[in-house]
Amino acid sequence: MPYIEMEDEAPPRLVCLKTKEECQRLIAACNQPHLRDIVILALNTGGRRGEILGLKWEEVDFGHKHVMYVRTKSGKARNVPLNPIALKMLKRRYEDP
């Protein structure tokens, strides 16, 4: 039987946004409001897709300005501070879902 050489797994893609302008272009490219907000939260908290999509309002503490990512890759909850940009976006979504 002939031997078929298989490529190793593709290296993980690493996307590094180096400037504020690159971040702004990424946000502007989001054609849906909910996608834009996901990207804003990811850029400003370092949250992963599953952490952000699994976030519940009771895990957002507006008073202490942090979110608790409960469903994490490691299985350990993590508390992440919210900067003014992420806080403003979350307040807007909370007040006008």
Side-chain angles (χ1 to χ4, degrees), residues 39-65:
V39 169
I40 288 171
L41 197 56
L43 290 172
N44 288 282
T45 67
R48 293 183 172 97
R49 178 184 57 197
E51 293 171 335
I52 292 170
L53 295 177
L55 190 63
K56 297 180 180 178
W57 286 118
E58 54 266 18
E59 298 161 358
V60 178
D61 186 338
F62 290 111
H64 292 102
K65 301 178 183 175

Side-chain angles (χ1 to χ4, degrees), residues 16-92:
C16 183
L17 302 175
K18 297 179 182 177
T19 66
K20 184 177 180 178
E21 290 75 27
E22 288 177 328
C23 293
Q24 289 172 337
R25 282 199 316 260
L26 175 61
I27 292 167
C30 297
N31 58 1
Q32 308 249 342
H34 69 280
L35 179 58
R36 183 190 67 240
D37 291 343
I38 291 168
V39 169
I40 288 171
L41 197 56
L43 290 172
N44 288 282
T45 67
R48 293 183 172 97
R49 178 184 57 197
E51 293 171 335
I52 292 170
L53 295 177
L55 190 63
K56 297 180 180 178
W57 286 118
E58 54 266 18
E59 298 161 358
V60 178
D61 186 338
F62 290 111
H64 292 102
K65 301 178 183 175
H66 72 258
V67 294
M68 178 67 72
Y69 286 129
V70 177
R71 287 154 292 288
T72 63
K73 186 176 176 180
S74 70
K76 296 179 184 176
R78 61 189 185 106
N79 192 25
V80 179
L82 292 170
N83 68 13
I85 296 168
L87 186 63
K88 181 179 176 182
M89 181 278 296
L90 286 170
K91 282 184 177 179
R92 177 181 47 79

